[in-house]
């Protein structure tokens, strides 16, 4: 297996605060890789650097053999990294369909092609019945799904998902898990940040645990979730 | 456009065609005064489209469009009075001049992340600087103004925009219709969708591969170019130009009223807004004149009141509501 994404010594600080410090990991082509850790651990900041929303202060990010650290987010999106936002960012006044059409327009200039792609993806994510609704009128779980749909419409090689299952009911979580597994089978590599352990264990082949900006453990779920440091800092009483 | 036309129901098509027919035939029955009001309706619909493209679609507030209007007007009229270059050629020089100014304003604003209200202030500042510059530019008459003579060779010919009201009537009508068709086409293009994305959420737009700087610059390029053409029309229609009038912030404000009242970010909003607002404003002016009242600010106060009433009743503008009332589909457009 080859690494699709390689992160080396990646660091970001906000004034005094080291939000991410010297983090290393590889995501292999075709795998589902999870990042977990308590709130404020630096997970979203790590995503923002990979997606180009903010430049790193140190370290390198290599995607498909190319250095992408410090590129603009539209340049990174075009290289094949799709992302969702933890605090959802739909295009609020537009319809669900138009939100996804805009994603699809990254790969084509033809509106009818973009609409075809959009309706396939909306069907896959159970949003097709709501295609004509205005995005701002959706419930939060639907908006989270819309985030995924819009990112998928750009036909990424790597999909970054930031807590898309937060706030979902268990049945909804299972549905998303099944959808992500399907997508992964078609060759999509997924990097996900998730608090819902039920989803993490169901999906991830490997896990990275962040704590105060540093990676404290990394490996297969069986290995990582038994690690005493992880249990103490993150899983805590819940796991014991 | 083909798309919108195709998806419009028969009622929408019929109303559209009837209205167009009525405007084309209007000069048969309309007197000079009515024609002059209609010319202003078309003129404001046209400029409204230009401004709406930048604000309503790409989400960038300009309160300094008088800059492009004035540069267009001055470039074409100066070319004519100084060098005898007619407006049909002059307009192709006026466009790049105004567009260059637009690109400069856009570049400064968006390159250095001057957003929202601060960007609007930047646009005002540029229009004001330019006004002061023209106040001291001797070659165009400085603050004393630039006048188009009616007696010089060929000045009364249509190819020098020297005809009577009928010529201006049809030119303004063509401008308004062409702008509507252009805007409808852009709205339905991938570029139009990109603009909406940038307007709705720049960060999310960038995350789906949109170069937001470029999208905004293209909107500015088209908007300032269109406004320059309106400026050429203005210069030759009024046949005199004063920096204090053409670059005035009042000019920038009056051209944004029609799209706001009609419906920001809609295709027909600027047209509907201009049809509602302009006759009322002109009617008020006429009424005050016949009553012998001389209050130059009255029209602006009236526009302000209209704006408050309509925005409080129909925050999305008149057009989306009107389209629903008339049973037209696609009212959000
Ligand atoms: N734009 C920012 N400016 C300043 N501090 C930030 C910014 N973004 C995140 N932080 C801080 O960085 C730390 C990590 O945040 P974040 O990456 O959002 O954590 P997580 O996603 O793991 O909950 C937090 O202490 C947060 O307050
Ligand atoms: Mg987070």
């Amino acid at each position: 297996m080859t690494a699709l994404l390689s992160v080396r010594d990646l660091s970001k600080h906000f004034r005094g605060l080291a939000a991410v410090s010297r983090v290393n990991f590889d995501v292999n082509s075709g795998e589902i890789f999870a990042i977990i850790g308590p709130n404020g651990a630096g997970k979203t900041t790590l995503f923002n650097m990979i997606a180009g929303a903010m430049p790193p202060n140190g370290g390198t990010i290599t995607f498909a053999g190319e250095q992408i650290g410090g590129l603009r987010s539209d340049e990174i999106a075009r290289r094949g990294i799709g992302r969702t936002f933890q605090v959802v960012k739909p295009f609020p006044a537009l319809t669900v369909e138009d939100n996804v059409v805009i994603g699809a327009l990254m790969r084509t200039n033809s509106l009818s092609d973009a609409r075809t792609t959009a309706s396939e993806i909306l069907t896959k994510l159970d949003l097709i019945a709501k295609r004509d609704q205005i995005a701002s009128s959706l419930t939060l779980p639907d908006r989270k799904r819309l985030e995924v749909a819009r990112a998928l419409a750009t036909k990424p090689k790597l999909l970054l998902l930031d807590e898309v299952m937060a706030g979902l009911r268990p049945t909804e979580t299972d549905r998303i898990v099944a959808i992500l597994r399907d997508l992964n089978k078609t060759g999509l590599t997924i990097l996900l940040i998730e608090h819902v352990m039920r989803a993490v264990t169901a999906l991830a082949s490997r896990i990275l645990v962040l704590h105060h900006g540093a990676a404290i453990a990394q490996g297969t779920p069986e290995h990582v979730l038994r690690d005493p440091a992880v249990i103490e800092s993150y899983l805590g009483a819940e796991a014991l | 456009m083909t798309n919108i036309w195709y998806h419009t129901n028969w009622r929408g098509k019929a109303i559209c065609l009837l209205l167009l027919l009525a405007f084309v035939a209007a000069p048969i029955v309309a007197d000079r005064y009515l024609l002059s009001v209609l010319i202003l309706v078309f003129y404001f619909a046209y400029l409204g489209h230009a401004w709406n493209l930048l604000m309503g679609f790409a989400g960038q507030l300009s309160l300094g469009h008088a800059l492009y209007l004035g540069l267009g007007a001055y470039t074409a009229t100066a070319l004519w009075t100084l060098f005898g270059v007619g407006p049909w050629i002059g307009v192709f020089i006026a466009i790049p001049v105004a567009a260059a100014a637009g690109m400069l304003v856009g570049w400064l604003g968006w390159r250095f992340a001057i957003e929202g209200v601060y960007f609007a202030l930047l646009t005002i500042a540029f229009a004001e600087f330019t006004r002061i510059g023209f106040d001291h530019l001797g070659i165009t008459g400085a603050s004393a103004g630039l006048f188009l003579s009616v007696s010089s060779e060929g000045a009364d010919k249509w190819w020098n925009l020297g005809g009577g009201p009928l010529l201006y009537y049809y030119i303004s009508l063509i401008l308004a219709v062409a702008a509507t068709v252009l805007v409808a086409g852009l709205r339905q293009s991938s570029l139009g969708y990109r603009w909406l994305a940038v307007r709705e959420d720049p960060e999310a737009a960038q995350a789906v591969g949109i170069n937001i700087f470029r999208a905004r610059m293209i909107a500015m390029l088209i908007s300032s170019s269109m406004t320059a053409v309106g400026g050429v029309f203005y210069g030759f229609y009024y046949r005199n130009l004063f920096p204090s009038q053409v670059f005035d912030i009042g000019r920038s404000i009056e051209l944004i009223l029609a799209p706001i009242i009609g419906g920001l970010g809609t295709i027909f909003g600027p047209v509907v807004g201009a049809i509602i607002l302009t006759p009322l404003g002109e009617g008020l002016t006429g009424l005050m004149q016949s009553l012998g009242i001389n209050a130059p600010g009255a029209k602006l106060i009236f526009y302000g009141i209209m704006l408050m009433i309509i925005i409080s009743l129909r925050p999305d503008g008149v057009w989306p509501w009107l389209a629903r009332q008339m049973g037209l589909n696609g009212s959000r457009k």
Side-chain angles (χ1 to χ4, degrees):
Chain A
M1 283 224 250
T2 54
L4 181 62
L5 180 77
S6 281
V7 168
R8 290 288 171 273
D9 289 328
L10 196 62
S11 300
K12 179 80 192 177
H13 45 81
F14 299 110
R15 275 164 245 107
L17 176 82
V20 173
S21 45
R22 305 187 79 88
V23 169
N24 291 280
F25 66 97
D26 284 336
V27 178
N28 293 324
S29 225
E31 85 171 319
I32 300 182
F33 191 103
I35 299 175
I36 63 172
N39 275 327
K43 306 181 295 294
T44 298
T45 304
L46 184 63
F47 259 32
N48 280 336
M49 288 188 283
I50 296 169
M54 47 176 70
N57 292 125
T60 59
I61 306 165
T62 312
F63 177 69
E66 183 192 4
Q67 288 274 348
I68 57 162
L71 291 183
R72 283 197 319 266
S73 52
D74 55 299
E75 296 170 321
I76 290 177
R78 288 188 175 276
R79 280 164 174 74
I81 299 184
R83 74 161 305 177
T84 66
F85 292 92
Q86 179 181 357
V87 180
V88 292
K89 283 181 163 292
F91 302 127
L94 308 186
T95 62
V96 167
E97 183 182 29
D98 284 352
N99 265 266
V100 182
V101 163
I102 287 167
L105 283 171
M106 190 177 96
R107 297 289 181 208
T108 172
N109 269 320
S110 148
L111 272 173
S112 65
D113 288 356
R115 290 214 177 87
T116 310
T117 307
S119 60
E120 281 166 19
I121 289 169
L122 287 171
T123 307
K124 205 176 282 174
L125 283 156
D126 308 325
L127 279 172
I128 195 75
K130 293 173 179 158
R131 66 197 299 171
D132 291 326
Q133 278 188 33
I134 299 298
S136 61
S137 73
L138 293 181
T139 59
L140 187 63
D142 281 343
R143 281 190 230 189
K144 295 237 164 189
R145 261 192 296 223
L146 180 58
E147 285 280 312
V148 180
R150 188 178 60 195
L152 276 177
T154 66
K155 305 202 165 113
K157 294 193 202 94
L158 173 67
L159 180 62
L160 308 181
L161 301 174
D162 196 347
E163 298 198 24
V164 287
M165 295 180 226
L168 299 197
R169 286 191 297 266
T171 50
E172 292 169 328
T173 302
D174 291 345
R175 179 78 190 117
I176 294 270
V177 165
I179 292 169
L180 294 181
R181 215 183 248 140
D182 270 0
L183 288 167
N184 178 244
K185 275 197 197 112
T186 65
L188 180 69
T189 308
I190 298 174
L191 175 57
L192 62 99
I193 292 175
E194 202 48 72
H195 275 305
V196 181
M197 290 314 290
R198 167 195 180 90
V200 172
T201 48
L203 286 169
S205 53
R206 286 186 304 144
I207 300 177
L208 172 81
V209 188
L210 278 188
H211 188 54
H212 292 316
I216 56 167
Q218 182 168 182
T220 60
E222 307 79 61
H223 169 79
V224 164
L225 301 179
R226 277 198 206 103
D227 188 315
V230 174
I231 292 171
E232 194 193 327
S233 70
Y234 178 53
L235 300 170
E238 187 190 337
L240 289 172
Chain B
M1 185 63 191
T2 48
N3 217 315
I4 284 194
W5 185 247
Y6 181 76
H7 287 291
T8 304
N9 55 18
W10 64 267
R11 218 153 142 182
K13 283 175 187 164
I15 291 172
C16 223
L17 286 177
L18 280 176
L19 203 62
L20 195 61
L21 201 69
F23 283 142
V24 170
I28 299 170
V29 287
D31 62 4
R32 236 188 134 94
Y33 175 71
L34 187 58
L35 280 192
S36 74
V37 173
L38 284 173
I39 289 173
L40 283 181
V41 169
F42 302 148
Y43 169 76
F44 281 116
Y46 174 81
L47 288 180
H49 274 312
W51 180 81
N52 189 42
L53 206 72
L54 186 63
M55 175 64 203
F57 291 171
Q60 300 298 303
L61 175 59
S62 164
L63 294 177
H65 259 47
L67 173 61
Y68 319 121
L69 189 80
L71 285 176
Y74 262 106
T75 305
T77 50
L79 280 170
W80 168 239
T81 50
L82 299 176
F83 307 109
V85 177
W88 296 97
I89 295 169
V91 68
F92 291 103
I93 299 164
I95 289 172
V97 168
M103 310 287 2
L104 178 65
V105 173
W107 182 81
L108 274 175
W110 303 318
R111 178 71 185 71
F112 300 103
I114 300 169
E115 309 251 346
V117 177
Y118 299 100
F119 179 74
L121 289 177
L122 185 75
T123 62
I124 295 176
F126 266 81
E128 284 295 295
F129 290 150
T130 312
R131 177 179 64 75
I132 294 165
F134 271 84
D135 265 338
H136 296 92
L137 192 65
I139 194 170
T140 58
S143 57
L146 181 68
F147 297 86
L148 290 190
S149 80
V150 270
S151 59
S152 64
E153 182 79 32
D156 58 340
K157 299 295 191 294
W158 69 268
W159 59 85
N160 289 326
L161 283 184
L166 213 54
L167 177 69
Y168 288 97
Y169 179 83
Y170 282 112
I171 290 176
S172 60
L173 176 60
I174 290 168
L175 282 177
V177 172
T180 308
V181 172
L182 176 71
V183 165
L186 286 170
R187 169 66 181 77
Q188 286 299 295
S189 70
S190 59
L191 179 61
Y193 275 88
R194 274 183 215 121
W195 282 336
L196 296 185
V198 172
R199 175 192 80 190
E200 290 293 300
D201 193 316
E203 203 184 343
Q206 235 182 337
V208 290
I210 297 170
N211 183 333
I212 56 178
F213 178 76
R214 189 197 295 169
R216 287 168 173 171
M217 287 295 264
I218 295 172
M220 178 60 107
L221 180 71
I222 301 175
S223 181
S224 54
S225 300
M226 284 174 74
T227 308
V229 176
V232 176
F233 180 87
Y234 175 100
F236 279 80
Y237 183 55
Y238 289 110
R239 308 195 83 74
N240 57 62
L241 286 174
F242 299 94
S244 59
Q245 280 179 9
V246 71
F247 289 111
D248 187 57
I249 183 154
R251 281 270 165 279
S252 297
I253 300 294
E254 76 181 358
L255 68 82
I256 78 178
L257 294 171
I260 293 177
I261 283 178
L264 266 182
T266 63
I267 292 167
F268 293 103
V271 179
V272 171
I275 290 176
I276 294 171
L277 207 59
T278 313
L280 288 175
E282 292 308 303
L284 183 79
T285 311
L287 184 71
M288 303 234 312
Q289 264 165 13
S290 64
L291 292 176
I293 305 168
N294 183 20
K299 194 153 92 180
L300 281 177
I301 293 173
F302 168 76
Y303 283 153
I305 293 169
M306 282 291 291
L307 198 63
M308 284 195 285
I309 293 173
I310 293 185
I311 294 309
S312 62
L313 291 177
R314 302 276 156 232
D316 297 333
V318 174
W319 167 244
W321 168 81
L322 190 68
R324 276 195 304 275
Q325 296 300 308
M326 298 197 305
L328 305 180
N329 53 359
S331 59
R332 272 181 296 110
K333 313 242 164 86

